[in-house]
Every structure is written in C-alpha cells, then in structure tokens.
C-alpha cells in the first residue's frame, strides 16, 4: 500500500504503544518515518519491527536527526513543548497531531492559530481507557472494552491526512467515557 508514499513523518514521545502503532501504519503506507524511543531496548525492538523505512533515535537526538532529512510533512508528538523545536522543519501545508492524553483545548487552539498562516493543521487525539502493554487494569468505558493503541493510531492518522478541513480539534478516543 502506498497511501503515505513520498511523505516524511516524525513520531516523537512514544516509541512503544501509540507512537509505535502510528509509525507502523505510516511505514506500511510507504512513508519515511523518524520515531523516538526512550531506551536502547525500545529503539532496537522498534527498529526490528519497522524495518529500513524507519529510523529510531533517542528523544534527545530528534532535532539533529530531522535536520538532514529535509522537510517533514506529518508530526505526531506527545505535547506542545515537544512540537515547538521541530516547527522549523515542518513543511507548509503539513499537519501536527498531539497524541498524549488530555491535551488542553486551549493548547491545541493556540498552536493551531499560530500555524494557520503556514497552512499547517493542528489537532489532537485524547486517548483514554487504552490497553497498556503490561495489561494494567482500568475501568471499562461505555463500549464495554478497553481500546487499543492501533485504534488511537487510526484516529491520529485520520486527523493528519484525511481531515483536511479540520484544525484546532480534540478527538476523544475513549470508548464513550467522555460522552454519557
């Protein structure tokens, strides 16, 4: 599948779980991906899983790794402070998706307003009740099951690539927890 062919993506803040799921789908779709992972073991595991279409680096190496690769089309990050240093590398017309739980509506709106002149869309997924890799117990949401990192990844990719007339939005991925 070549849905993301020719696109360069950076996934920062999560080398496992949601971040890895986003990176997998991007690689499967033909994108070049730069992923950060916190530990040497996570970097080795992610590299083995993603193959040659992805580079996996330590979080403190992301800025230098992004520099030589040219413009970035898609940026997935855990928080606004993580995004800011990478903005000069983001192509006009690109997309930012915040992926950590509970990004404040104000932070999403402020960044979206700041980047609208460059045609960059900024949105966020707000995951909750997602299965942890260790299988931690959580109360079940109204849908009656825990969500998966893959489900959050699909929502994040929708916001990054298909929701072309959407900016400043937060999409709850919570099994109905926030919606009685």
């Amino acid at each position: 599948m070549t849905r993301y062919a020719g696109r360069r993506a950076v996934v920062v803040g999560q080398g496992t779980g949601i971040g890895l799921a986003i990176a997998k789908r991007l690689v499967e779709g033909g994108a070049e991906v730069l992923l950060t992972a916190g530990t040497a073991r996570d970097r080795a595991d992610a590299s083995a899983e993603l193959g040659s279409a992805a580079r996996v680096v330590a979080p403190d190496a992301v800025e230098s790794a992004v520099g030589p690769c040219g413009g970035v089309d898609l940026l997935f990050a855990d928080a606004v402070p993580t995004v800011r240093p990478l903005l000069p590398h983001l192509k006009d017309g690109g997309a930012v998706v915040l992926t950590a739980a509970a990004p404040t509506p104000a932070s999403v709106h402020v960044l979206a307003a700041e980047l609208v002149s460059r045609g960059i869309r900024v949105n966020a997924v707000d995951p909750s009740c997602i299965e942890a890799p260790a299988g931690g117990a959580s109360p079940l949401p109204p849908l009656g099951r825990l969500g998966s990192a893959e489900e959050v990844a699909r929502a994040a990719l929708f916001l990054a690539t298909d929701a072309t007339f959407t900016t400043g939005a937060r999409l709850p991925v919570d099994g109905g927890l926030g919606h009685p």
Side-chain angles (χ1 to χ4, degrees):
M1 183 161 103
T2 59
R3 177 180 177 117
Y4 308 118
R7 295 196 183 188
R8 292 184 176 176
V10 176
V11 183
V12 180
Q14 304 167 13
T16 60
I18 294 168
L20 183 58
I22 291 169
K24 277 189 208 175
R25 291 189 68 85
L26 286 164
V27 166
E28 288 168 0
E32 291 179 43
V33 177
L34 177 66
L35 173 68
T36 65
T39 68
R41 169 91 185 205
D42 287 344
R43 288 191 293 278
D45 290 349
S47 291
E49 197 161 339
L50 296 172
S52 63
R55 287 180 38 208
V56 184
V57 300
D60 61 355
V62 71
E63 281 186 72
S64 60
V66 169
C69 80
V72 173
D73 301 294
L74 308 171
L75 175 57
F76 301 86
D78 55 355
V80 172
T82 306
V83 169
R84 291 214 175 274
L86 300 173
L87 291 178
H89 303 284
L90 191 60
K91 289 181 182 177
D92 291 354
V96 173
V97 178
L98 301 170
T99 59
T104 65
S107 65
V108 176
H109 287 277
V110 166
L111 190 58
E114 181 180 323
L115 297 176
V116 73
S117 66
R118 292 181 52 197
I120 296 171
R121 295 173 298 102
V122 177
N123 294 294
V125 290
D126 188 6
S128 181
C129 295
I130 305 301
E131 290 177 350
S138 295
L140 293 179
L143 281 180
R145 66 175 179 83
L146 296 177
S148 70
E150 174 65 25
E151 289 170 309
V152 179
R154 286 194 305 261
L157 286 163
F158 166 76
L159 289 171
T161 62
D162 292 330
T164 57
F165 195 60
T166 304
T167 193
R170 282 176 63 229
L171 178 61
V173 183
D174 63 6
L177 188 65
H179 303 78

